[in-house]
Amino acid sequence: QVQLVESGGGLVQPGGSLRLSCAASGNFFEIYDMGWYRQAPGKQRELVASITSDGRTNYAASMKGRFTISRDHARNTVYLQMNTLKVEDTAVYYCKANVEVRGWAKLINDFWGQGTQVTVSS
């Protein structure tokens, strides 16, 4: 099994910054892509940013230039640095990891964290 634990969410004023972390633990062979998604009340979950095991990144258009995704592959951890936060960034942010959990039979699954609340408000 794989567990993803997010941290770093909280309340911040518009224009402020926040850094999210997500650490994966458990029994697995390899983590491939990792990413951050968010979901606001009444809206669909959407991609924020993702990063491959070799460091290739992609961002949603509204986050590009403000958010930066990075990872420490050896520590199975992904980060999201969020700058110039806006009220519309308020959402629950979820960490996702694509994980090979069984190498001998090639079992690959997506795992999700429980989410961390980010609230941008004056």
Side-chain angles (χ1 to χ4, degrees):
Q1 185 61 275
V2 180
Q3 294 80 43
L4 301 177
V5 180
E6 301 107 331
S7 62
L11 176 65
V12 64
Q13 294 183 345
S17 297
L18 217 55
R19 182 177 172 87
L20 306 183
S21 299
C22 172
S25 62
N27 188 19
F28 54 86
F29 285 90
E30 184 70 28
I31 298 179
Y32 297 109
D33 295 353
M34 301 187 77
W36 289 95
Y37 294 72
R38 71 183 185 186
Q39 187 168 22
K43 296 184 178 181
Q44 297 184 46
R45 189 172 298 186
E46 63 176 346
L47 172 72
V48 176
S50 64
I51 185 167
T52 66
S53 58
D54 60 355
R56 289 178 288 120
T57 62
N58 72 284
Y59 299 87
S62 62
M63 273 70 79
K64 193 172 185 179
R66 299 189 297 122
F67 292 5
T68 302
I69 189 170
S70 62
R71 70 188 290 174
D72 186 336
H73 195 85
R75 298 183 185 275
N76 302 313
T77 302
V78 64
Y79 306 93
L80 183 68
Q81 178 66 46
M82 303 184 291
N83 298 324
T84 319
L85 283 161
K86 305 173 181 179
V87 172
E88 51 263 44
D89 293 322
T90 296
V92 177
Y93 284 71
Y94 297 91
C95 175
K96 189 185 83 170
N98 184 242
V99 184
E100 183 177 340
V101 296
R102 190 174 65 201
W104 58 271
K106 277 292 184 181
L107 181 60
I108 303 173
N109 289 324
D110 289 333
F111 292 87
W112 292 86
Q114 291 299 114
T116 184
Q117 177 71 47
V118 172
T119 302
V120 185
S121 176
S122 298

